Amino acid sequence: RAKAEGRGTYRVFASDMDEEAEERRVLESDLRQALADDALSLHYQPQVDGASGVLVGFEALVRWTHPTRGQIPPSVFVPLAEETGLIIALGDWVLRAACREAATWAPSLKVAVNLSPRQFQKPDLPETVLAVLAQTGLSPDRLELEVTESVIINDMARAISILRRLKGFGVRISMDDFGTGYASLATLQAFPFDKMKIDRSFVAQLGVDPQAAVIVRAVLSLGRSLRMGVVAEGVETAAQRRFLADEACGEMQGYLFGKPRPIGDYAAMLCLPEHAEDIAPRPARLAR
Ligand code: C2E
Ligand code: MG
Ligand code: MG
Ligand code: MG
């Protein structure tokens, strides 16, 4: 009896697995189609100077509206694209679209583009970036590439050499989601990062868990010592902003300043200097 039940259970489990695999195959082919149809889009989220609140640039974040399922979050389809190798085409598309867009903005504004570990396994990544910059006319010092700690883990020597070449063009490199991965202080020092982005999980705990303040202070001090800029992600409240500004955090990004949106929604902010002003709600600043 137990045996029969066991087998039954196994059968159900197996068909669940089949369903899941099938579901992934469908999603993968839909994503391939979306790429072919140019059906992906980018949203842009403001990044501001920590002290003044002045807009300094935007992070480009990829979006996919599935024809029948609606919005699929990048946390679902980016890992899928990573596993299937589609990330190379997706990453190229994102880079090109973001640079083309940023080339139309005021020259003081930068664009940050996320890169996946897989993109680092292609040795021609620097040439791809260079070609996109040339084709779009974006000045290299206006492009920031965001990479996570996992880029380092895979093949450290190769990753360093690729990052060096990119930096040689004048492109900036940020370490994304700092504090959530495996980067040791030694790897931080060995890598030519220009910036660290404090993961939003720490920012969210400011004012909630006293440990978060300790960690954020430590990262800011590390950034100063290593001469890297520090960006705080996920700033949602005036209190978080005040804490970070008091600790001299270089740049901030989060819903307080603006959610990721189609660039048209930010059109009024793209031609500085008329709009070079604090973009956060006024009361937040006066509350200091
Ligand atoms: P990320 O690069 O760390 O991007 C920041 C994420 O935090 C975005 O989620 C953004 O919408 C969200 N966020 C920003 N401010 C706040 C806030 O104040 N509160 C909260 N709760 N969330 C905030 P999103 O757009 O869903 O992207 C998730 C992740 O997907 C990104 O994390 C990035 O790792 C990946 N991703 C997005 N676009 C791309 C892309 O074009 N290429 C690659 N390789 N990865 C991408
Ligand atoms: Mg990012
Ligand atoms: Mg991040
Ligand atoms: Mg993140």
Side-chain angles (χ1 to χ4, degrees), residues 176-177 199-200 233:
D176 207 349
D177 304 335
D199 192 65
R200 81 176 140 87
E233 309 185 308

Side-chain angles (χ1 to χ4, degrees), residues 59 61 114 146 148 176-178 180 197-201 233:
E59 178 173 2
L61 293 155
N114 294 284
E146 298 194 357
T148 55
D176 207 349
D177 304 335
F178 183 70
T180 59
K197 297 188 77 175
I198 306 180
D199 192 65
R200 81 176 140 87
S201 57
E233 309 185 308

Side-chain angles (χ1 to χ4, degrees), residues 117-134:
R118 263 275 184 108
Q119 295 178 268
F120 272 80
Q121 282 161 14
K122 286 199 74 201
D124 63 353
L125 176 68
E127 283 70 32
T128 303
V129 171
L130 203 56
V132 169
L133 289 169

Side-chain angles (χ1 to χ4, degrees), residues 14 21 28 43 46 65 128 162 168 187 199-200 224 238 244 260 277 280 287:
E28 180 196 341
H43 279 187
T65 306
T128 303
I162 291 182
T187 49
D199 192 65
R200 81 176 140 87
R224 279 189 287 273
L244 290 160
E277 56 196 30

Side-chain angles (χ1 to χ4, degrees), residues 102-212:
T104 70
W105 304 342
S108 62
L109 297 176
K110 302 166 297 177
V111 67
V113 175
N114 294 284
L115 289 187
S116 286
R118 263 275 184 108
Q119 295 178 268
F120 272 80
Q121 282 161 14
K122 286 199 74 201
D124 63 353
L125 176 68
E127 283 70 32
T128 303
V129 171
L130 203 56
V132 169
L133 289 169
Q135 287 156 11
T136 59
L138 186 72
S139 166
D141 60 352
R142 296 178 58 201
L143 176 62
E144 264 175 31
L145 298 174
E146 298 194 357
V147 303
T148 55
E149 296 161 65
S150 51
V151 158
I152 306 171
I153 308 306
N154 296 338
D155 185 343
M156 182 141 169
R158 184 205 298 229
I160 291 187
S161 110
I162 291 182
L163 288 177
R164 286 242 158 82
R165 283 165 63 210
L166 287 167
K167 282 195 51 144
F169 307 151
V171 170
R172 310 268 163 76
I173 314 287
S174 304
M175 173 176 274
D176 207 349
D177 304 335
F178 183 70
T180 59
Y182 312 93
S184 71
L185 300 183
T187 49
L188 251 193
Q189 205 185 21
F191 271 77
F193 290 111
D194 298 285
K195 278 184 189 174
M196 298 184 267
K197 297 188 77 175
I198 306 180
D199 192 65
R200 81 176 140 87
S201 57
F202 300 111
V203 176
Q205 289 302 306
L206 287 175
V208 181
D209 177 357
Q211 292 278 27

